[in-house]
Amino acid sequence: MNPKKADFSNEYWKAIIDCDAAYDDLFLYGVITTGIFCRPSCKSRVPNKENVKIFKNAKMALEEDFRPCKRCKPEGLNVSTEEWVEQIAEWIGTHYCEPLTLNKLADISHGSPYHLQRSFKRVKGISPTEYIQRLRLEKATWLLETSELPITEIGFAVGFSSTPYFMTLFKRKMGNTPSGYRNAYLKTQALEREENEE
């Protein structure tokens, strides 16, 4: 059986779409793509039906590694700010190559952009945007060292939508252009090989 298949009634689905508080004591729903579970009355964006899983209570959702929504606090459960920020950072870690905005991050994490920006900076010491840039540059550096992909493709592969922006940011943060970095890295590797062969 396909685990993503929605196996619940149209009545429950309508309650989710309508944010119907009358159903809050009857069930909770988890969103497979975000790993968050909510009350039917939650004001967060309506998920795709095939990504929804129904739970009788919070205990069942927690047992399947779903986390309580920070916005609607199902069954009064609350996630600490630190834990919430770590969850967002973890999500960024697997979605960094997609177009990411503060609004999108706030949407998937069920918080406001302002609160997310403030909390993330307090916990991580940098803004979500800086965090994403840093992660993308790390991945780009790794690709420059381990692949023969053209610079343009590397920029797109790690989530930069513009090659000039990727090259400018890389140079500003790394002190070298992507191609300059790759050439310097390959030279260093060649020298190390020569030294080891002597």
Side-chain angles (χ1 to χ4, degrees):
M1 190 179 135
N2 179 356
K4 281 197 167 185
K5 187 175 185 305
D7 55 349
F8 55 92
S9 71
N10 285 334
E11 180 186 1
Y12 280 9
W13 179 239
K14 187 173 178 346
I16 293 167
I17 294 170
D18 296 343
C19 300
D20 193 338
Y23 285 81
D24 280 359
D25 293 331
L26 296 178
F27 75 95
L28 299 168
Y29 72 93
V31 182
I32 294 164
T33 49
T34 62
I36 293 172
F37 70 96
C38 302
R39 303 170 189 259
S41 64
C42 188
K43 299 291 187 234
S44 58
R45 187 168 50 92
V46 176
N48 292 332
K49 188 174 182 180
E50 66 271 13
N51 293 330
V52 170
K53 189 162 188 171
I54 299 297
F55 299 103
K56 285 192 176 90
N57 55 46
K59 185 175 180 282
M60 290 173 70
L62 292 167
E63 281 171 359
E64 292 199 30
D65 290 329
F66 280 82
R67 300 174 304 268
C69 172
K70 197 156 178 72
R71 186 178 287 169
C72 71
K73 301 178 182 70
E75 292 187 14
L77 294 171
N78 201 356
V79 179
S80 74
T81 300
E82 288 74 18
E83 196 181 340
W84 185 58
V85 167
E86 286 308 321
Q87 291 167 5
I88 295 163
E90 197 178 294
W91 191 88
I92 291 169
T94 54
H95 296 84
Y96 66 88
C97 52
E98 299 170 16
L100 296 179
T101 62
L102 190 60
N103 283 339
K104 181 171 183 172
L105 291 175
D107 203 29
I108 65 104
S109 62
H110 298 194
S112 76
Y114 174 75
H115 180 64
L116 168 58
Q117 175 87 358
R118 248 190 33 218
S119 302
F120 201 97
K121 194 155 189 171
R122 187 170 59 76
V123 173
K124 291 287 189 187
I126 56 175
S127 71
T129 302
E130 289 169 309
Y131 185 85
I132 293 163
Q133 286 177 348
R134 189 181 285 179
L135 184 59
R136 286 174 174 169
L137 290 174
E138 280 174 22
K139 302 292 183 183
T141 302
W142 183 79
L143 285 173
L144 287 165
E145 293 173 359
T146 60
S147 77
E148 293 178 10
L149 285 173
I151 304 301
T152 307
E153 283 184 38
I154 288 175
F156 289 131
V158 299
F160 290 105
S161 57
S162 151
T163 302
Y165 176 68
F166 164 54
M167 293 168 76
T168 304
L169 185 69
F170 193 94
K171 185 169 185 183
R172 193 169 79 226
K173 299 284 187 184
M174 308 297 284
N176 208 339
T177 62
S179 55
Y181 178 89
R182 177 183 266 167
N183 292 339
Y185 176 80
L186 293 174
K187 271 185 197 159
T188 306
Q189 293 299 102
L191 285 170
E192 283 175 10
R193 272 195 302 275
E194 280 174 27
E195 285 170 12
N196 291 336
E197 284 166 10
E198 284 175 7

